[in-house]
Each structure stands twice: as structure tokens, then as C-alpha cells.
């Protein structure tokens, strides 16, 4: 309790010296730290002050961190930032700052004092993103090691089965496949057997070709894939393959975004270094079609994203394609989710978490632009499912890191 009392005293003195406001620390709710004004009516000045503290160049500057601007169910304006596995929310009308997370008290006692301390310093470096505390990191590494061992054992068994299958495939056939149940007798059993095998193999190959051609025609005929069609294609992408950019990967990209953004439990992530107006328009259209459920958590892109065009040009050009009544939704649901990673990146993927501890990710060599989605290019693509923790650790945390390593 001594450490908590000291932290509260330091907090009160810090706010008092900067704003003349009096605040108190409320720890009555589990996993939540609340810093609020001691008065009953709150303070707009205090809300502005907390935003200045958090967005200070030494802490979490807005150019490098994905702040969200939201309105709650009562119409009150709030700003949120998720970092170090805690979520900080500033309620602008009352000046209340809440910090929420599984280990929030430990984080508050060890990290928030530095946030206040660095506010008084000249610009240095932004706050580093914590890799977690040593014990949590140790537990995570142990879980990852066990998962890796299980995967290696499973892969070894699969390799053994494949080797056996190849050995059997190289042995003489014990059964003969015929194109029908009756053979034409020539009087020579060896000739009949040879003809039957050739006819049967030809029929099987022709049937397979017909099925593949039918599937390809079905995919080309559909603008968006859904249901069993989409599920079948995803099942074929567990290992990387080469596919046509415009006729396959582009449709798959739109189809998956449409599926995820129509599910209110899905939090969607997009990353591409290069983006053009047409693909931004696609994303906005899918969001508008699902505006009650669409939830883009973060959209990672470079500032200069399409030859000489900047992301500001792409946003402006795309927005002009929609009526004025739709533009606030686009601004709130899409543009406010754009993040510019500090490090240069060339990763291209879309992914989502399902709200149940699982995640999906589609990775491709294709940028979200005409160069890859309209021109006749061959691109690589692969689809994986994993746990949400694994997805965040492997895909999101590297892009969200605050400084170059």
C-alpha cells in the first residue's frame, strides 16, 4: 500500500502543478485504474491536459500510435490508445483517464510515473513498447516451445506417411481400373489388362480436368465468393501457392474482407505498403455495406503509398466517390484506423481476430493496388488460422513497435 500511496501522491502533485486541478486515484474496479477530478462535474481542461501528456513526443505521439476517437452510447467524446497490453481512455467532457488491462496496477506503478516524468523533459525518444515482464515472457516462450515441438512431431508423422505412400505408389498395381465394368476380350489377357488400365487412367484424368475447369469457371463468374465456395478455396491455401492476382487473389481479398466485416465479433487488420484509390474505395464500400458490424482495428500503410501519391491523396480521392452522408462513416470506420509504422515495411496481409481467442490471416505478395490486382500478374498467397495471442505477437506487435531495433 506504501507504493500505491506514493504513486497517488506523485500523481496528485503532478496534475496540481500543471493544471491547478485536484484528482484522485480510484482502484475499486478490478483490472481498472481510474484517475478523475475530485469535483462532481469533471473538467474539460483536464481531458485536454491528459491528451497533451499522452501525445507528448517523449511518450506516445500521435504520428506513431493508433489513437481512436469515439463517442460512447451517451454521446460523450473519448479518445483511446492501446499499448503495452493496457488500454488508456480519456473522457474529454469530464477529464477522467481510465487505464485497463490484466496487469494494469503493476503497469501503472512502474510505467505511468515515467509518462509523467518525460512530459517535463525536452523531446527525446518516444516511450518504448514493453515486451512484457520477464515472467510473462518466460511463460510465453515456454508455450511457444511446446507448440513448436508438437508441430515438429506432427510434421514428422506426416512426412513418414507421405514416404510410405510414395513407396506404395511405386509398386506394381494389384487392382486394375477400367473405364466401365466390361472389357472387350481380345483373347490375350495381358493386352486386355493393358488396355483397361490405359482407358481407366484416361477417364480419371478427364474427369479431374472437367472438375477443375468447372471450379475455375464458377470462380470467374462470381464477383464475391461466400459460403462453401470461399471455404473450399481457403482450405486449398494452407501451403503457399501461386495464383493470378486479378482473377483470384483480388476476389479472395474482397471476399474475406466482406465476410469478416459483416461479423460484429471480428476485429480486422490490414497491412500494405502500397495502396491506390480503387482499393481504398473497395474497402470503404465493403465497410458501408456492413456499417453496423464493420470493425477495422488497424490499417497499416505507408505515408507515400502509390508512386507520387501520399495516403492523404488516396483518402481524398476515394472519399469523393461517395455522397456526403456516407463520408463521416468512412472517416470514423476507415480513415481513423490508419496507422503509419515507424519502420519501413513491405508486409502485405489482411487478418482478423474472432472474439473467441482465434485468428485468421491471409498473406500475399500482392500490394493492394492496380499493379497487382488489375495487371495480369502471378502472385503468391497463403491462408492460416492461429490463436489470437499468436497473431498479435507475430503480426501486429512488430508493426506497432515504437522504434527501430
Amino acid at each position: 500500500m506504501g507504493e500505491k500511496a506514493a504513486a497517488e501522491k506523485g500523481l496528485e502533485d503532478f496534475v496540481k502543478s500543471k493544471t491547478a486541478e485536484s484528482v484522485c486515484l480510484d482502484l475499486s474496479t478490478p483490472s481498472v485504474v481510474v484517475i478523475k477530478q475530485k469535483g462532481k462535474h469533471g473538467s474539460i481542461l483536464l481531458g485536454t491536459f491528459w491528451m497533451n501528456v499522452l501525445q507528448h513526443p517523449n511518450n506516445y505521439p500521435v504520428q506513431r500510435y493508433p489513437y481512436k476517437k469515439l463517442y460512447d452510447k451517451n454521446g460523450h467524446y473519448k479518445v483511446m490508445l492501446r499499448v503495452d497490453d493496457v488500454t488508456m481512455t480519456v473522457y474529454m467532457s469530464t477529464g477522467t483517464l481510465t487505464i485497463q488491462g490484466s496487469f494494469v496496477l503493476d503497469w501503472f506503478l512502474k510505467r505511468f510515473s515515467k509518462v509523467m516524468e518525460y512530459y517535463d523533459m525536452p523531446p527525446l525518444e518516444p516511450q518504448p513498447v514493453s515486451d512484457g515482464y520477464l515472467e510473462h515472457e518466460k511463460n510465453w516462450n515456454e508455450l511457444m516451445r511446446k507448440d513448436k515441438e508438437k508441430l515438429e512431431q506432427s510434421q514428422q508423422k506426416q512426412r513418414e506417411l507421405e514416404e510410405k505412400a510414395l513407396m506404395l505408389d511405386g509398386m506394381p498395381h494389384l487392382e486394375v481400373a477400367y473405364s466401365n465394368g466390361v472389357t472387350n476380350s481380345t483373347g490375350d489377357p495381358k493386352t486386355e489388362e493393358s488396355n483397361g488400365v490405359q482407358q481407366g487412367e484416361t477417364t480419371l484424368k478427364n474427369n479431374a480436368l472437367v472438375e477443375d475447369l468447372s471450379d475455375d469457371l464458377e470462380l470467374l463468374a462470381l464477383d464475391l465468393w461466400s459460403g462453401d465456395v470461399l471455404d473450399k478455396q481457403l482450405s486449398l491455401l494452407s501451403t503457399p501457392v501461386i495464383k493470378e492476382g486479378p482473377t483470384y487473389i483480388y476476389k479472395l481479398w474482397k471476399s474475406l474482407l466482406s465476410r469478416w466485416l459483416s461479423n460484429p465479433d471480428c476485429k480486422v487488420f490490414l497491412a500494405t505498403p502500397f495502396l491506390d484509390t480503387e482499393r481504398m474505395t473497395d474497402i470503404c464500400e465493403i465497410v458501408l455495406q456492413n456499417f453496423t458490424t464493420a470493425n477495422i482495428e488497424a490499417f497499416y500503410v505507408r505515408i507515400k503509398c502509390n508512386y507520387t501519391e501520399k495516403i492523404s491523396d488516396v483518402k481524398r480521392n476515394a472519399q469523393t466517390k461517395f455522397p456526403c452522408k456516407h463520408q463521416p462513416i468512412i472517416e470514423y470506420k476507415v480513415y481513423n484506423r490508419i496507422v503509419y509504422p515507424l519502420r519501413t515495411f513491405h508486409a502485405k496481409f489482411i487478418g482478423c481476430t474472432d472474439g473467441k481467442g482465434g485468428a485468421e490471416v491471409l498473406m500475399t505478395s500482392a500490394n493492394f493496388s492496380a499493379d497487382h490486382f488489375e495487371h495480369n500478374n502471378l502472385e503468391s498467397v497463403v491462408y492460416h488460422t492461429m490463436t489470437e495471442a499468436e497473431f498479435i505477437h507475430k503480426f501486429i506487435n512488430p508493426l506497432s513497435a515504437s522504434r527501430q531495433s
Side-chain angles (χ1 to χ4, degrees):
M1 292 300 293
E3 188 177 6
K4 183 260 182 183
E8 184 172 16
K9 181 68 166 57
L11 172 69
E12 291 174 353
D13 292 344
F14 173 72
V15 176
K16 189 79 172 178
S17 65
K18 305 297 182 187
T19 67
E21 298 278 2
S22 297
V23 297
C24 61
L25 189 63
D26 182 357
L27 304 176
S28 59
T29 305
S31 301
V32 181
V33 170
V34 180
I35 304 170
K36 57 185 179 181
Q37 191 201 37
K38 287 184 177 179
K40 295 181 179 180
H41 303 294
S43 167
I44 295 176
L45 172 64
L46 203 52
T48 303
F49 169 69
W50 284 127
M51 289 307 304
N52 290 336
V53 171
L54 294 178
Q55 294 180 351
H56 190 275
N58 292 342
N59 289 321
Y60 307 108
V62 69
Q63 297 89 345
R64 298 182 181 180
Y65 287 86
Y67 286 86
K68 290 185 180 180
K69 301 175 183 179
L70 306 169
Y71 287 90
D72 63 20
K73 61 183 179 181
N74 297 320
H76 296 150
Y77 182 46
K78 61 183 180 181
V79 181
M80 300 176 66
L81 170 66
R82 181 170 177 80
V83 65
D84 293 344
D85 292 328
V86 300
T87 300
M88 292 181 277
T89 305
V90 179
Y91 294 86
M92 300 303 295
S93 60
T94 63
T96 299
L97 169 63
T98 66
I99 311 172
Q100 186 171 357
S102 300
F103 306 98
V104 66
L105 185 57
D106 192 41
W107 183 91
F108 177 78
L109 293 174
K110 294 180 179 179
R111 297 296 299 273
F112 198 74
S113 60
K114 294 185 180 297
V115 171
M116 295 186 292
E117 177 185 347
Y118 291 164
Y119 179 69
D120 285 329
M121 294 182 178
L124 301 170
E125 284 290 330
Q127 288 276 0
V129 173
S130 173
D131 291 328
Y133 305 108
L134 293 178
E135 186 62 28
H136 307 322
E137 186 70 17
K138 180 181 177 181
N139 292 339
W140 170 262
N141 290 335
E142 180 65 15
L143 288 172
M144 294 298 294
R145 184 187 65 79
K146 291 180 179 179
D147 287 346
K148 183 178 180 180
E149 288 180 355
K150 289 180 181 178
L151 178 61
E152 289 175 349
Q153 291 172 0
S154 174
Q155 290 175 339
Q156 179 61 30
K157 290 180 180 179
Q158 183 65 28
R159 283 194 295 268
E160 291 173 357
L161 290 173
E162 289 175 354
E163 289 173 0
K164 290 180 180 179
L166 290 172
M167 290 175 64
L168 291 173
D169 191 49
M171 296 174 65
H173 291 290
L174 299 179
E175 296 182 0
V176 179
Y178 293 92
S179 60
N180 52 55
V182 180
T183 60
N184 295 321
S185 176
T186 63
D188 186 345
K190 292 183 178 179
T191 302
E192 291 177 4
E193 182 177 353
S194 177
N195 290 340
V197 171
Q198 291 176 3
Q199 292 171 1
E201 290 178 348
T202 301
T203 301
L204 290 173
K205 289 178 180 177
N206 287 341
N207 287 343
L209 288 172
V210 169
E211 289 178 1
D212 289 344
L213 182 60
S214 176
D215 288 344
D216 290 343
L217 290 174
E218 181 182 11
L219 295 177
L220 287 172
L222 296 172
D223 182 50
L224 286 180
W225 308 334
S226 60
D228 293 340
V229 175
L230 180 55
D231 290 335
K232 180 179 179 181
Q233 295 308 311
L234 294 177
S235 71
L236 301 174
L237 300 176
S238 58
T239 55
V241 296
I242 301 296
K243 292 286 187 180
E244 289 280 352
T247 59
Y248 187 90
I249 298 177
Y250 186 25
K251 289 189 177 185
L252 178 64
W253 178 83
K254 289 193 292 185
S255 300
L256 263 183
L257 285 178
S258 182
R259 170 181 284 188
W260 293 341
L261 291 171
S262 66
N263 185 342
D265 296 325
C266 287
K267 293 181 179 179
V268 178
F269 299 81
L270 304 93
T272 181
F274 301 109
L275 174 76
D276 62 13
T277 298
E278 286 71 20
R279 259 41 64 180
M280 178 67 89
T281 302
D282 286 336
I283 294 166
C284 294
E285 284 181 346
I286 296 172
V287 166
L288 289 172
Q289 291 164 6
N290 304 279
F291 72 93
T292 60
T293 57
N295 184 5
I296 294 178
E297 184 74 5
F299 189 171
Y300 300 96
V301 68
R302 293 182 185 176
I303 293 178
K304 189 175 181 181
C305 64
N306 189 35
Y307 295 103
T308 60
E309 284 188 322
K310 294 184 177 180
I311 186 63
S312 56
D313 302 318
V314 170
K315 289 163 57 178
R316 182 174 60 254
N317 295 338
Q319 200 162 31
T320 60
K321 298 179 182 293
F322 299 93
C324 293
K325 65 178 182 179
H326 290 156
Q327 292 180 8
I329 299 175
I330 293 171
E331 185 73 32
Y332 171 64
K333 291 273 189 176
V334 182
Y335 293 174
N336 281 354
R337 303 307 195 260
I338 292 176
V339 183
Y340 313 112
L342 175 61
R343 295 194 62 179
T344 301
F345 75 102
H346 214 283
K348 283 89 69 171
F349 68 86
I350 56 173
C352 84
T353 57
D354 61 11
K356 301 174 184 177
E360 305 171 54
V361 61
L362 181 80
M363 294 172 286
T364 177
S365 61
N367 290 312
F368 303 170
S369 67
D371 287 345
H372 298 257
F373 281 169
E374 291 183 13
H375 299 169
N376 191 23
N377 282 332
L378 290 173
E379 305 287 350
S380 61
V381 61
V382 64
Y383 167 83
H384 284 307
T385 59
M386 61 194 70
T387 65
E388 179 177 349
E390 189 177 8
F391 173 70
I392 297 298
H393 182 74
K394 292 182 176 181
F395 288 84
I396 303 306
N397 286 348
L399 287 175
S400 301
S402 68
R403 59 182 178 181
Q404 298 183 23
S405 57

